[in-house]
Amino acid sequence: MQVADYILARLRDWGIHRIYGYPGDGINAFLGALDRADGDPELIQPRHEEMGAFMATAHAKFTGEIGCCMATSGGGTVHLLNGLYDAKLDHQPVVAIVGQQKRISLGSAYQQEIDPNTLYKDVSSDFLQTCMHPAQARHLVDRACKVALSNRTVATIIVPDDVGEEDAVPSPPREHGAVYSSIGWTRSRVLPDEAELRKAADVLNAGQKVAMVVGQGAQTAADEVMEVADLLGAGVAKTSLGRVEPSDDLPYVTGPIGLLGSTATEDMISNCDTLFFVGTSFPYAEWLPQEGQARGVEIDIDGRYIGIRYPMEAHLVGDAGDTLRELRPLLERKTDRSWRERIESRVDEWHRVLDDRAHDAADPLNPELVVHELSQRLPAGAIVTTDAGSVANWWARHLVLRRGMKASLAGNLATMGPGTPYAIAARFAFPDRPVIAVIGDGVFQMNGMAEMITIKRYWDRFQSAPLVFCVFNNQDLNQVTWEQRAMAGDPKYPGSQWIPDVPYAEYARLLGLRGIRCDSPEEIGRAWDEALGSTVPCVLEVVVDPEIPPVPPHIMSEQAKKAATAMAKGDPEAAGLMRKGVKQKAHEFTESVKTHLPGGSDR
């Protein structure tokens, strides 16, 4: 047994049965060891190391287990970085194994010799070690896994090629300096101080208009969130990383918050007197109550992040579920339910606005209608991914995710690229569950098209349940186009924003996948039925209108001024933008009138 064989066996003992990686001579020892491992752990070969790191991150997000990726020395090690930063910023446990030149050559400016210790000192700051002796392998693997799980971060082991080829030392020699580590880790029960719990209860009991904002840290505490929300008569808004729980079909769940948010969330946040953060570090102050408007309580398992987004009175450092269970007996049920009734009315109004917007005329197809129609057809247990771009707006707003579903995106890094590899990793982890990726044409051209070849590579593994990649073809890097207008006051610059038209459905068929193209609002429902009913992986190409604006729930005055300036400067799409944007906001006004004036729908 070589050191490489031993490391793989140790990773397997830690529950790692799948490694996303790309070959290279800097990890030759591992390639031979993977062959000898007979598929456990199994090497999954993406088309690019960056995609492998995204897949490892997605595995961690969707399973709660350690994700693992591998790359060769030099360029392969560099390529992992973007996907590993996705794991670091979204607090996911990922172990990276990277190659290095042989020890004898280090320091000689040898071919492919880079300094991964310097390169990775930020992305893997909690654990970054080089295996310089076979006896180190045992405790380096053990510590990497323990650190990744405990700190929910990236841990990296660098293995020089010659070390990987040496004979393994399963048990170090019994001498001074030897280390004897063990496999095993349990999640700790983290609870805040009792006095702080009572302080939090006092604040929450005193509030008459409580708004809850939940994130990724609350996704395993949905029952507790719902129970506390019921006691407090609160509404619940969700961050993008907290997209799934509580489910969207609950009448008091106001949906997304922020630029991608809903009018129901905006109304709740603007009028609350108490803000309750649970498992989130949502960063955008302009979408939170004004300072002094609301009293604050926050739960976060990491004390480094608590109380840094809004001035909080009670700082509960603890696990979301455990802390809510301790807090619950201290809370008093609100007898006045008028605040909850207002929230539910706004949620109902918001859903009608979405329906109105989705059915607005567009040229040729309204992107909101595409996701609106998907939402009505989401299979039970579906896993839905998305990517950076305007598609994230429709994914956040229109999808009604039910209990038992999963969804994610690159939250804090907000990088282009993960939507497709996330979906592929989800299928490997859950071979019998429907998986749908909602992605833009820019990111699909950047790296998604190549990963269709990965599906061809593992063809027999991808036909057990629907696997759909819905590509929004608008020939525009659409989100950045809108940001140019609203943030910089500049018109659309075709030199940077236009992208070539590619026949994505034809490309899919070329590879042997199902390819469907739709550019008609009358046909989009049938197209989704065909895609979700496909027995082979499917690319659904939807030709959508780039002029449908991702209008936020509240247009900031500065953004409105800059957008008007962009139009005045001669934006090539100015006429359509103004007409369609005004119509979108008009739906909000119309539904509000129906609901809140005498004779309206709630009377």
Side-chain angles (χ1 to χ4, degrees):
M1 180 185 285
Q2 295 181 351
V3 169
D5 295 276
Y6 179 83
I7 289 175
L8 293 182
R10 199 73 173 181
L11 291 171
R12 180 175 61 244
D13 290 342
W14 271 98
I16 296 171
H17 302 289
R18 190 175 299 115
I19 298 173
Y20 294 96
Y22 203 82
D25 62 359
I27 52 172
N28 271 343
F30 283 99
L31 302 181
L34 283 161
D35 189 23
R36 293 187 290 272
D38 292 327
D40 192 11
E42 174 188 23
L43 177 70
I44 300 297
Q45 179 206 85
R47 310 277 58 78
H48 192 287
E49 290 94 349
E50 179 185 12
M51 299 295 99
F54 279 136
M55 291 175 189
T57 301
H59 180 89
K61 284 187 172 185
F62 291 135
T63 68
E65 302 168 350
I66 301 171
C68 189
C69 57
M70 181 180 291
T72 189
S73 54
T77 299
V78 175
H79 283 164
L80 287 180
L81 280 172
N82 198 38
L84 292 180
Y85 267 109
D86 185 29
K88 178 185 174 72
L89 269 62
D90 282 354
H91 309 289
Q92 298 301 319
V94 170
V95 169
I97 309 293
V98 298
Q100 177 57 297
Q101 292 300 328
K102 294 180 178 181
R103 288 170 295 179
I104 195 172
S105 66
L106 295 178
S108 69
Y110 204 76
Q111 184 186 32
Q112 286 193 334
E113 181 190 350
I114 65 172
D115 181 6
N117 286 283
T118 298
L119 185 68
Y120 274 48
K121 70 178 182 179
D122 180 40
V123 75
S124 190
S125 57
D126 288 9
F127 189 85
L128 174 60
Q129 293 293 328
T130 303
C131 187
M132 299 299 290
H133 189 283
Q136 276 185 284
R138 173 172 159 178
H139 71 257
L140 290 185
V141 172
D142 292 347
R143 280 217 67 220
C145 292
K146 293 173 194 285
V147 170
L149 288 166
S150 297
N151 295 7
R152 301 196 62 80
T153 192
V154 175
T156 303
I157 304 172
I158 304 163
V159 184
D161 196 31
D162 56 327
V163 176
E165 294 172 344
E166 286 197 35
D167 291 339
V169 181
S171 185
R174 190 168 179 80
E175 61 184 45
H176 182 70
V179 175
Y180 295 83
S181 61
S182 59
I183 294 169
W185 179 87
T186 56
R187 190 178 303 280
S188 58
R189 189 166 185 256
V190 184
L191 287 172
D193 181 75
E194 288 186 15
E196 199 70 10
L197 279 168
R198 289 192 292 272
K199 182 192 296 184
D202 290 342
V203 173
L204 295 170
N205 288 333
Q208 299 300 309
K209 301 177 180 180
V210 180
M212 296 180 69
V213 179
V214 302
Q216 180 176 251
Q219 293 305 281
T220 58
D223 289 338
E224 291 81 1
V225 168
M226 289 187 289
E227 291 172 9
V228 168
D230 181 62
L231 283 173
L232 298 174
V236 178
K238 301 186 292 184
T239 67
S240 293
L241 288 175
R243 180 70 180 82
V244 177
E245 295 284 3
S247 59
D248 290 314
D249 52 7
L250 295 172
Y252 57 85
V253 171
T254 63
I257 183 173
L259 194 65
L260 280 59
S262 72
T263 56
T265 297
E266 171 64 16
D267 182 80
M268 177 178 72
I269 294 296
S270 298
N271 292 283
C272 71
D273 62 16
T274 309
L275 180 66
F276 190 9
F277 262 29
V278 184
T280 181
S281 191
F282 178 76
Y284 302 117
E286 65 269 30
W287 300 104
L288 296 176
Q290 294 188 25
E291 186 171 9
Q293 170 194 323
R295 303 176 72 185
V297 174
E298 183 173 1
I299 299 173
D300 199 300
I301 200 167
D302 192 336
R304 296 175 301 173
Y305 295 97
I306 201 160
I308 63 170
R309 303 305 187 198
Y310 188 82
M312 300 293 178
E313 290 186 44
H315 303 77
L316 303 176
V317 179
D319 172 79
D322 290 338
T323 301
L324 288 171
R325 282 189 290 273
E326 294 293 320
L327 181 63
R328 186 174 51 202
L330 305 176
L331 298 177
E332 302 166 358
R333 181 177 176 82
K334 307 289 186 190
T335 56
D336 181 355
R337 309 304 283 185
S338 58
W339 173 244
R340 169 63 74 85
E341 291 167 1
R342 170 179 175 143
I343 288 168
E344 293 184 359
S345 174
R346 296 302 192 277
V347 170
D348 185 60
E349 176 187 321
W350 169 243
H351 288 308
R352 293 198 304 273
V353 167
L354 289 177
D355 186 74
D356 291 339
R357 286 184 179 178
H359 291 93
D360 280 345
D363 182 20
L365 181 57
N366 190 329
E368 297 193 68
L369 182 63
V370 174
V371 184
H372 189 76
E373 291 290 333
L374 168 61
S375 184
Q376 299 176 47
R377 293 168 169 80
L378 273 181
I383 302 172
V384 191
T385 71
T386 194
D387 221 303
S390 59
V391 291
N393 292 271
W394 324 132
W395 175 88
R397 293 173 181 168
H398 282 272
L399 283 181
V400 177
L401 297 180
R402 306 185 304 276
R403 195 133 209 213
M405 295 180 176
K406 294 178 182 287
S408 197
L409 76 171
N412 289 295
L413 188 59
T415 182
M416 291 179 71
T420 296
Y422 271 27
I424 293 172
R427 169 44 51 86
F428 276 116
F430 301 99
D432 297 323
R433 296 181 65 165
V435 179
I436 303 109
V438 179
I439 46 184
D441 51 358
V443 75
F444 199 59
Q445 288 185 18
M446 179 179 283
N447 54 37
M449 294 180 72
E451 289 310 309
M452 296 302 100
I453 303 172
T454 299
I455 293 174
K456 183 178 179 66
R457 165 76 169 77
Y458 297 97
W459 181 251
D460 59 327
R461 306 274 289 274
F462 286 91
Q463 300 182 52
S464 55
L467 175 60
V468 181
F469 299 87
C470 182
V471 182
F472 286 57
N473 181 352
N474 57 19
Q475 299 182 65
D476 182 37
L477 297 175
N478 200 235
Q479 185 70 19
V480 175
T481 297
W482 290 108
E483 289 169 345
Q484 285 180 339
R485 293 164 175 147
M487 299 171 69
D490 290 328
K492 177 179 177 177
Y493 171 46
S496 68
Q497 300 312 106
W498 177 83
I499 58 175
D501 188 12
V502 173
Y504 305 106
E506 289 184 30
Y507 172 75
R509 290 192 287 268
L510 180 68
L511 293 175
L513 284 65
R514 174 69 64 83
I516 302 169
R517 186 178 188 272
C518 182
D519 59 4
S520 165
E522 291 76 27
E523 294 296 320
I524 185 59
R526 180 203 58 77
W528 271 119
D529 290 337
E530 184 179 347
L532 292 170
S534 176
T535 57
V536 299
C538 178
V539 171
L540 172 58
E541 176 188 354
V542 290
V543 185
V544 296
D545 190 340
E547 295 180 359
I548 300 296
V551 175
H554 173 68
I555 299 177
M556 306 294 179
S557 59
E558 187 64 25
Q559 291 182 350
K561 290 176 184 176
K562 288 185 176 180
T565 300
M567 299 301 105
K569 289 179 180 178
D571 191 291
E573 298 167 355
L577 298 177
M578 295 179 68
R579 182 179 70 255
K580 294 165 188 175
V582 168
K583 192 170 185 179
Q584 277 199 336
K585 296 307 287 184
H587 288 311
E588 296 175 16
F589 175 76
T590 301
E591 291 300 337
S592 180
V593 169
K594 287 180 182 178
T595 301
H596 305 298
L597 287 186
S601 61
D602 66 343
R603 292 282 176 170

